[in-house]
Structure formats: C-alpha cells, structure tokens
Amino acid sequence: MDYKENKEILRKFYASKGLTAHFEKDNQYLEKAFGKITDIWFANLEQIREVKYLMIAEAPLWGEKESYIYNPETPYTPFFFKKDLEYALNGTTIRDKKDFIDRCNKIGLLIIDISPFALNTRDTIINYCNKNADNPYGITKSKYQQLIKDTLPTFFECKIKAITPKASKNIKVFFRYPRVQKAFQGVIVDTLINYKIINSPDEISEIMQPGGGIDRGKLKKIIDSGNDSK
C-alpha cells in the first residue's frame, strides 16, 4: 500500500484549510507513522488464519510513543483494555500486550482503521477533535467525511481487499464507537458489501458503553455468536 497517493490527498486537504505552510513538517511525522503502522498491521494480518470479527476503529494515536493496538511495546488505552477481552473470553487470563495481540489473532479478531493519518494534537496542526474556539484546527464532520471518501480507494479499500481471502463467511463487523459508525458507515458500507464482507448495513453493530468504554457484554455476545456459527 503506497503512501504517495494519500500524501497528495492530504496535501490538498491542508491547502483547503489554508494550512499549506504546515504540511511538510506534519507530513514528515505522518508518512513515517503510516509506514510503520502499515507494516505492523499487515504483519499481524499474516498471523490470523481466519478473520471472524472485524472491529472498525478511527485512527491510531501513534505519536512519539508509537501508541498502537498492535504495538506490543506500548500500553493499553481505553480503546481496548485487556480486561475487556478477558471478560469476552470467559475469564481467560491475558499476561501482557503481546499475549493480548496473540489472543485476538487466535480468535480471528482484527482491528481496522478508517483513516490513514495518525493526526493528533501534539504532532500535527490538524487533529480529529471537534473544531471549536479552543481547537480551531479540529476537523469538521463534513471535512472529515470528505477526507475518508477521498482516501477510501487508497487506504480502507486496500485493507479490505487484503482481508477478503481470510474473511469468514459469517464474519461479525462492528464499530468501536457509535459516533464513528454514525459519521462513516455510509461512507464505507459499499466497500464492505462489494468485497462481500457483509450483505447489508444492518449487519454492522457497535460495542461502546455509556462513558466511552467497551460494553463487555456486547463484545462477549459478538464473540460467542461467532463461535456458535462454526
């Protein structure tokens, strides 16, 4: 998966916001992050025999500490704690982050981002937080949707295409966050259908509980339903 096309899309995005002067500096970080994250993700996909569960996320935190769900050297984040997976696996004890990743791979749980860019409030002038008086460089919903549409064939679709040969016939697809589902399901759903990951948008669910954490009951139900469909 080549970064060059995504880079040009991002360059135009920065220009549309009048931030061309910041692009080269930000892109040095973003291109390096993209390369490392892409390598990690595809290497992890190779470890999965069958993709039975597809969790749709937003974008990696990354940053200076290279925080990423598939980086075993970085801590857990509220995105997905090991206790969430332990509960969903009926109290299975998970030793550390590497064991956590291995367990996800073993059950066929794969996490995919919708955005290729690890934007954040420290390393880039543009960030994913809501635009307001205190955060003038946040992305508005409409601009964010357009960015995902523009990068769909050069990022998300590339990853879905790579998943397809390993996708279970009864794959369970769900969003980590309802806000991401609400904003982007309409953007990505045709790709999921065209690659026969799902048959209908109605098949997609979400697993968040009030307050932002994972609803462990929802996650367990999804995993149990995948086991039942063997």
Side-chain angles (χ1 to χ4, degrees), residues 45-181:
L45 178 61
E46 290 180 5
Q47 304 305 310
I48 301 177
R49 184 180 64 83
E50 181 182 29
V51 180
K52 297 177 64 177
Y53 314 97
L54 185 65
M55 183 193 297
I56 302 174
E58 189 171 7
L61 292 173
W62 202 248
E64 182 180 358
K65 296 181 179 179
E66 301 186 351
S67 179
Y68 184 42
I69 189 68
Y70 287 124
N71 184 352
E73 303 303 320
T74 58
Y76 301 99
T77 70
F79 173 77
F80 199 174
F81 287 123
K82 73 169 184 149
K83 288 187 176 180
D84 299 324
L85 185 60
E86 287 175 332
Y87 180 89
L89 297 179
N90 301 309
T92 297
T93 298
I94 295 174
R95 297 186 304 276
D96 52 27
K97 185 82 175 290
K98 183 180 183 304
D99 189 28
F100 172 89
I101 295 169
D102 289 344
R103 298 275 180 166
C104 287
N105 292 342
K106 185 176 181 180
I107 66 171
L109 170 57
L110 180 66
I111 295 156
I112 184 172
D113 294 304
I114 59 168
S115 174
F117 307 118
L119 302 172
N120 61 55
T121 56
R122 294 191 61 181
D123 300 287
T124 58
I125 190 167
I126 296 175
N127 59 77
Y128 290 121
C129 301
N130 291 330
K131 182 179 180 180
N132 54 47
D134 296 324
N135 182 40
Y137 300 115
I139 299 180
T140 63
K141 181 179 178 181
S142 60
K143 287 283 188 180
Y144 196 177
Q145 287 176 327
Q146 188 59 53
L147 183 63
I148 300 305
K149 288 178 183 178
D150 290 344
T151 59
L152 196 68
T154 56
F155 180 70
F156 186 79
E157 186 174 334
C158 293
K159 286 193 169 183
I160 293 298
K161 184 178 181 180
I163 291 168
T164 301
K166 293 190 173 189
S168 166
K169 292 181 180 179
N170 299 299
I171 189 171
K172 311 299 178 184
V173 181
F174 54 98
F175 280 86
R176 169 61 180 87
Y177 300 107
R179 63 173 177 78
V180 178
Q181 180 178 21

Side-chain angles (χ1 to χ4, degrees), residues 26-38:
D26 286 7
N27 188 65
Q28 286 182 8
Y29 153 75
L30 291 167
E31 186 167 359
K32 185 177 180 181
F34 179 92
K36 288 187 175 182
I37 292 165
T38 299

